[in-house]
Amino acid sequence: MDMTFTMEQKLLRESAEKMFQGAPLLARLNIDHPDGYDTRLWSQIVELGWLAVGIPEEFGGIGGGAVETAVIMEEVGRNLLISPYAMSAVATQAIVHLGSEDQKALLAKIAAGEMQITIADVEGPEYGHTTVATMALDVGGGYRLTGRKTQVQFGATADAFIVSANLHGTLSLFLVEANAEGLSLNSSHSLDLGLVSDMDLDGVELQAGSLLGKPGEGVSNLRMLENRAIAAACAEASGAMQALVRDTVEYTKTRKQFGAALSTFQALQHRLVDMFIRAEFARSMALLAAFEVGRDATSPEADHVCSAAKYLVMEYAKINAEEAIQLHGAMGMARELPIGHFYKRIVMLENLLGCGFVHLGRMIEVANAA
């Protein structure tokens, strides 16, 4: 597989780099944003056209797909940007690939930053799609949704949700507007200072056109969205690992012990090299996941590669974050340095979309089905 970036992808990465040059990381730390993200940077994201990535040109987008999203997410991770971008980009693909013509009319608003969308499919501490309790009932040419969702990423600022529910005993997806009667949210800040919500659906009435895709295909459709989200999360973690290596190397060059810089001690040099190797391996796995999803997000190969990437990238990212903290000493957890903030974000990414054990099981499942 050729994983060389195209000229357009390189330009996309350069534009992201330039944006973050005007928003230094240290100046953004420890700022309590009511919405869970920096709205000023969000405006720049809209202007740069990030939200139009992955949306076909005929619907107001600029094309592209999983690889372009990964290019952006790597820079997002390197610069520790907490925002609704990743989940919005993934949720948008539900409309692109599953939506009706009326639903696809919303894509122009999403591309222009006039509408935010996210996914509401988690219902408890255990990740999976086989025990969804939210029910959808046929009522007079429409549907009525009743149930509860948890860990909805940036639900408080979303204008619409992709919601999973049981319809006739099988899983289906629905497009639900945030102002729907009977829908309520309870939001709070997460470990990384982002915003997550619990959603209650109390007899939410939907029109027939709210169904996304065909009835009963929710599991396979969610798997497609999950693979896209995993590729984006792994790219973000990869970027964070690169930043941790960069910052830790620089710190050991300036911090002195026994009259010499820490970077001159051979034992610490070995640990820094190990951090670099893990970061490079993780980047390769993240790119492989993005390219595989870009080819076919519904294939068994994409399932296997994405689960392998989720397990390995997050495992290595957490090790690197812990190493960075230890090599920084007590300063590693100081709020004034980004190291501890990177660690918190990596912990969030590790537990998002299923932990390592979930994806080890998924790899076994895919292998047995081959």
Side-chain angles (χ1 to χ4, degrees):
M1 180 187 296
D2 183 7
M3 295 196 295
T4 305
F5 286 154
T6 65
M7 181 59 68
E8 290 78 9
Q9 290 163 352
K10 291 178 181 178
L11 290 173
L12 185 62
R13 181 177 59 188
E14 290 173 5
S15 70
E17 290 174 348
K18 290 179 181 178
M19 185 192 80
F20 286 115
Q21 287 173 2
L25 175 56
L26 290 178
R28 294 188 281 111
L29 292 180
N30 304 315
I31 298 177
D32 184 13
H33 297 289
D35 293 330
Y37 63 95
D38 189 330
T39 53
R40 184 182 63 84
L41 278 179
W42 182 255
S43 297
Q44 293 184 45
I45 287 173
V46 174
E47 291 176 7
L48 287 172
W50 288 11
L51 299 178
V53 172
I55 297 177
E57 293 182 13
E58 60 264 34
F59 297 110
I62 60 175
V67 177
E68 285 74 15
T69 300
V71 168
I72 293 172
M73 289 307 299
E74 189 173 338
E75 291 302 318
V76 164
R78 188 180 287 115
N79 291 277
L80 197 59
L81 175 65
I82 311 299
S83 81
Y85 170 70
M87 199 54 67
S88 178
V90 173
T92 299
Q93 293 305 302
I95 299 178
V96 171
H97 292 278
L98 308 173
S100 63
E101 290 303 313
D102 288 341
Q103 290 167 340
K104 288 180 179 179
L106 300 173
L107 293 173
K109 289 186 176 182
I110 296 173
E114 299 171 2
M115 179 179 182
Q116 284 188 33
I117 185 169
T118 189
I119 299 174
D121 67 317
V122 179
E123 294 196 351
E126 294 186 6
Y127 185 79
H129 312 310
T130 57
T131 57
V132 174
T134 300
M135 299 298 297
L137 300 177
D138 279 317
V139 285
Y143 305 98
R144 180 183 295 128
L145 265 59
T146 303
R148 193 167 193 269
K149 300 293 183 179
T150 62
Q151 304 173 46
V152 182
Q153 303 292 309
F154 294 98
T157 57
D159 299 295
F161 304 90
I162 308 297
V163 179
S164 59
N166 273 308
L167 177 65
H168 307 310
T170 57
L171 199 64
S172 298
L173 299 183
F174 297 86
L175 181 62
V176 182
E177 294 184 359
N179 60 2
E181 187 175 351
L183 187 154
S184 60
L185 298 171
N186 181 23
S187 303
S188 60
H189 286 283
S190 54
L191 176 67
D192 58 359
L193 299 183
L195 207 61
V196 295
S197 303
D198 291 335
M199 173 191 290
D200 286 306
L201 300 159
D202 186 11
V204 175
E205 301 283 348
L206 302 176
Q207 297 180 351
S210 63
L211 183 68
L212 265 172
K214 297 179 181 179
E217 294 186 352
V219 172
S220 59
N221 291 335
L222 275 177
R223 183 63 65 89
M224 178 267 291
L225 296 177
E226 181 183 72
N227 285 342
R228 293 180 180 277
I230 287 172
C234 288
E236 181 181 352
S238 168
M241 291 176 73
Q242 295 166 44
L244 286 168
V245 172
R246 175 199 64 203
D247 292 351
T248 305
V249 168
E250 287 302 313
Y251 181 79
T252 57
K253 287 180 179 179
T254 57
R255 177 73 166 90
K256 291 186 176 181
Q257 191 73 17
F258 306 112
L262 292 180
S263 60
T264 63
F265 295 105
Q266 190 176 47
L268 298 187
Q269 291 173 356
H270 290 170
R271 291 171 69 175
L272 290 170
V273 169
D274 287 342
M275 286 181 66
F276 175 79
I277 292 172
R278 282 190 290 266
E280 289 299 298
F281 182 86
R283 185 169 189 264
S284 296
M285 283 299 299
L287 286 175
L288 179 61
F291 275 90
E292 196 64 61
V293 168
R295 289 205 307 176
D296 184 1
T298 63
S299 69
E301 291 79 10
D303 291 346
H304 182 80
V305 169
C306 286
S307 281
K310 182 64 165 62
Y311 174 73
L312 291 169
V313 172
M314 298 306 166
E315 185 74 13
Y316 281 176
K318 192 172 181 181
I319 292 172
N320 267 21
E322 291 170 349
E323 282 285 86
I325 290 173
Q326 189 171 41
L327 289 171
H328 275 77
M331 289 298 294
M333 290 303 294
R335 289 172 60 88
E336 291 76 18
L337 290 185
I339 305 302
H341 297 270
F342 276 116
Y343 179 79
K344 292 176 183 178
R345 181 57 182 165
I346 286 169
V347 169
M348 288 295 297
L349 290 173
E350 180 191 25
N351 290 281
L352 189 68
L353 304 164
C355 66
F357 290 110
V358 169
H359 288 282
L360 281 175
R362 183 175 162 187
M363 283 190 284
I364 294 171
E365 175 187 321
V366 173
N368 289 338

